[in-house]
Structures are given as C-alpha cells and as structure tokens.
C-alpha cells in the first residue's frame, strides 16, 4: 500500500507540473470592461448604436453605469433587451411616454409615467436579477452628493437619475430627495471603477449650442446649462475613463425623439471609430489601469444622411 501511495503521489505531482507548463501564470484573461453611458435626454438614443456595435463585434461588457437617459438605456440593456429591441422601443417613445405636465412649485413635469414604461419594458425589476451588473447615478438634493444605486428595486433610482432640476419633480427614495445624476456624475466612469471595471469606455453626448439661434424654450435653457456644467466638471470623469467617445449629437435637439434612426447611426459611427482601441483590450493580457491616466478621446462627426 505504501508503494501504491508513492506511485499515486508521483503521478499527481507530474500531472500538476504538466498543467503548469500548459497554463502559465501569465496566461491571458479578458479584462472587466465597463461602459459608462452619459445623459442627454433624446440624444441618449445614440447609446443604442454604441451598444449595438459592441455586441456585433463580440466585445464582452461586464458592467454598465448610467446617468439620466443613460440609466434608462443601461437598465433596459442589462435586464436582457437586445440592441435591436431597444431600437424598436426608440421608434415609439416620445416626451409624453415618460412625463406629464403638472403644476408644482418643484417643477413643470412629473416623470411618474416612467414607472409604467419601465415596468412594461424591463425584463426584471431588481438590480440583483440583471444579467449584467448596473450602477444608476442620482444626486442627493440636500447634500449635493452623488448616489450610486446597485441593489434593490430599479425603477425609482432610474426615475431619480432622470429628474432634471426645474423640469421634473425630485424623486423620494429612502427618505432622501433625489434629482438628476448629471449634477454629480455627468458620465459615470468613476462609479464603474468602484464597481471593479478594469477598462472603462465612456460615452459623452456632447452637444454644441448654436451661437446664432436663441433657445426655443426653457427645456433648451436647462439642457444647455447641463452641457456647460458637464464641460466645466469634465476632468474627474474623463480621468476615470480609458477611452471617451463623443458621438456628434450637436445637430439634434434635446427632445428629438423622432430622429431615432439618425441618432442610432451617430452612435454606431462613433463606436466603430473607437473599435481599434477597444479591440486591444481583448487582445492583450488584462492589467490594472490607473484612474488618473489620460483617456483616449474619440470623436465622430454625424454621418451624412440622404433625404
């Protein structure tokens, strides 16, 4: 029996040695890739184009964080909807899908209609059930601090993330009044780092205000004010990203839901331009990245569309 034991131990040791040779300690592994989806109301339909290209190219998304409309897109995608299903939904939504006008000293509209929309659209309704981990950002109205939701029910955090101050009423969650996540996390790349992302692709919907045209209404004023605030506070979220892509949404209004196909093409164009850099993430061994390293900026003009 002793001799048999020695033989077995020798075979096991030899097997481990062979395994060590065939699977070196430096073997490649895919990095944890996270996608940060910024805000921009109807312009956020461009996020669908970004997600569609990533899926078509087989780029594995391990986690998503979303702000404002990015939270809606992120919740829908992480719950199990495909980019093509998101496109079908984008063709149907309008401002009144999410909001209704109201008389209140806290805002001109309520986004309570978003509750029914999300209940019908999302495949699951808690963060724990999502197929891909998701972070949803909002801003605590009283403290001014950013809040990232990643557990419990999804719908109210998404509503809070979309609550434009002055436009939509604040949303109460767990005893706090919450407003739009764009105030604290214009593009939620840093929350992705905190969630464990090793590579971060940030999608910034940067619009350029016309220097010749006056704003049409208060929604333009609020939207452009957010755009200015994003630019002023961009250093923090940019430094937490490895790649920043900026689909050219300058020619689109904040409520341009009717131009869904064009916005999707803009997102696809920007993402395809960034693909060579993103592919490097899955072709080389994963290494920890510094959140303070300079990100690669990829901008893309809007494609010329035939009448």
């Amino acid at each position: 029996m002793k001799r048999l034991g020695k033989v077995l131990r020798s075979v096991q040791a030899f097997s481990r040695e062979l395994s060590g040779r065939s699977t070196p300690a430096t073997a490649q592994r895919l990095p944890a890739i996270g996608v940060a989806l910024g805000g921009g109301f109807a312009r956020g339909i461009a996020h669908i184009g970004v997600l569609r290209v990533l899926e078509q190219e087989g780029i594995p998304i391990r986690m998503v964080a979303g702000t404002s409309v990015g939270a809606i897109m992120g919740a829908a995608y992480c719950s199990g909807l495909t980019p093509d299903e998101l496109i079908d939904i984008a063709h149907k939504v309008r401002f009144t899908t999410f909001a209704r006008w109201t008389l209140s000293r806290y805002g001109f509209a309520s986004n309570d209609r978003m509750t029914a929309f999300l209940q019908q659209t999302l495949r699951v309704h808690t963060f724990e059930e999502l197929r891909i981990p998701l972070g949803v950002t909002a801003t605590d109205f009283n403290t001014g601090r950013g809040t990232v939701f990643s557990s419990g029910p999804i719908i109210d955090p998404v509503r809070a993330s979309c609550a434009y101050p002055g436009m939509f009423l604040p949303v109460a969650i767990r005893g706090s009044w919450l407003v739009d996540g764009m105030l604290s996390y214009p593009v939620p790349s840093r929350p992705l780092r905190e969630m464990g992302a090793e590579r971060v692709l940030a999608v910034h919907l940067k619009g350029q205000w016309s220097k010749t045209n006056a704003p049409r209404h208060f929604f333009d004023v609020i939207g452009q004010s957010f755009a200015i605030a994003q630019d002023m506070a961009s250093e923090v979220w940019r430094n937490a990203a490895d790649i920043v892509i900026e689909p050219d949404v300058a020619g689109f209004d904040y409520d341009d839901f009717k131009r869904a196909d064009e916005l999707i093409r803009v997102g696809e164009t920007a993402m395809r331009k960034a693909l060579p850099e993103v592919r490097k993430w899955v072709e080389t061994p994963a290494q920890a990245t510094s959140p303070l390293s300079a990100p690669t900026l990829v901008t893309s003009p809007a494609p010329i569309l035939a009448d």
Side-chain angles (χ1 to χ4, degrees), residues 3 10 19 29 31 46 48 76 99 103 127 140 142 193 213 222 232 235 237 242 255 261 267 281:
R3 183 180 295 275
S10 296
S19 298
R29 69 175 179 84
I48 300 175
L103 292 175
F127 284 92
D140 189 305
N142 292 320
R193 291 289 185 192
N213 295 333
I222 294 172
M232 296 297 290
E235 184 176 353
W237 65 261
D242 294 293
D255 55 351
D261 285 335
W281 296 348

Side-chain angles (χ1 to χ4, degrees), residues 2-151:
K2 291 182 179 179
R3 183 180 295 275
L4 178 60
K6 288 183 178 179
V7 171
L8 289 174
R9 286 193 293 273
S10 296
V11 171
Q12 290 170 348
F14 182 64
S15 176
R16 286 194 298 269
E17 184 178 353
L18 286 178
S19 298
R21 289 175 181 174
S22 60
T23 309
T26 56
Q28 293 186 10
R29 69 175 179 84
L30 295 180
I33 297 174
V35 180
L37 304 176
F41 210 54
R43 293 171 170 179
I45 294 173
H47 289 319
I48 300 175
V50 173
L51 295 171
R52 190 183 196 192
V53 171
L54 289 171
E55 283 220 346
Q56 289 173 343
E57 298 298 322
I59 305 298
I61 301 174
R62 291 275 299 277
M63 58 196 73
V64 176
T67 289
S68 199
V69 66
I72 297 176
M73 295 298 177
Y77 180 71
C78 292
S79 78
L81 272 72
T82 67
D84 286 343
E85 288 173 320
L86 289 175
I87 290 172
D88 290 339
I89 293 170
H91 287 151
K92 301 172 185 176
V93 299
R94 295 293 185 268
F95 177 79
T96 53
T97 304
F98 309 110
R100 63 180 177 83
W101 300 110
T102 186
L103 292 175
S104 171
R105 56 183 174 177
Y106 300 125
F108 292 101
S110 168
N111 66 8
D112 55 0
R113 286 182 177 173
M114 192 178 293
T115 298
F117 169 77
L118 292 174
Q119 286 175 339
Q120 296 170 5
T121 301
L122 302 183
R123 297 279 166 79
V124 298
H125 298 111
T126 67
F127 284 92
E128 289 79 7
E129 298 173 285
L130 295 170
R131 69 182 182 96
I132 298 174
L134 171 70
V136 170
T137 70
T139 305
D140 189 305
F141 179 76
N142 292 320
T143 67
R145 294 176 182 172
T147 299
V148 182
F149 292 90
S150 58
S151 64

Side-chain angles (χ1 to χ4, degrees), residues 258-272:
K258 62 184 180 299
R259 300 175 66 187
D261 285 335
E262 298 171 65
L263 282 162
I264 292 164
R265 291 191 191 102
V266 166
E268 289 177 331
T269 299
M271 187 63 246
R272 290 208 171 275

Side-chain angles (χ1 to χ4, degrees), residues 104-241:
S104 171
R105 56 183 174 177
Y106 300 125
F108 292 101
S110 168
N111 66 8
D112 55 0
R113 286 182 177 173
M114 192 178 293
T115 298
F117 169 77
L118 292 174
Q119 286 175 339
Q120 296 170 5
T121 301
L122 302 183
R123 297 279 166 79
V124 298
H125 298 111
T126 67
F127 284 92
E128 289 79 7
E129 298 173 285
L130 295 170
R131 69 182 182 96
I132 298 174
L134 171 70
V136 170
T137 70
T139 305
D140 189 305
F141 179 76
N142 292 320
T143 67
R145 294 176 182 172
T147 299
V148 182
F149 292 90
S150 58
S151 64
I154 298 172
I155 291 176
D156 278 349
V158 172
R159 287 184 56 223
S161 188
C162 297
Y164 266 53
M167 166 62 76
F168 293 118
L169 308 183
V171 176
I173 301 179
R174 303 170 192 169
S176 298
W177 288 102
L178 298 163
V179 293
D180 203 297
M182 288 176 66
L183 287 172
S184 51
Y185 298 108
V187 181
S189 50
R190 188 164 293 277
L192 276 179
R193 291 289 185 192
E194 295 169 356
M195 291 168 63
E198 296 171 295
R199 298 288 187 270
V200 172
L201 172 69
V203 186
H204 179 214
L205 303 176
K206 181 180 181 179
Q208 294 181 352
W209 182 250
S210 170
K211 294 182 174 61
T212 57
N213 295 333
R216 298 170 302 158
H217 41 57
F218 67 90
F219 196 52
D220 277 354
V221 175
I222 294 172
Q224 179 58 9
S225 297
F226 268 109
I228 294 169
Q230 282 186 43
D231 287 342
M232 296 297 290
S234 66
E235 184 176 353
V236 173
W237 65 261
R238 286 182 185 274
N239 285 343

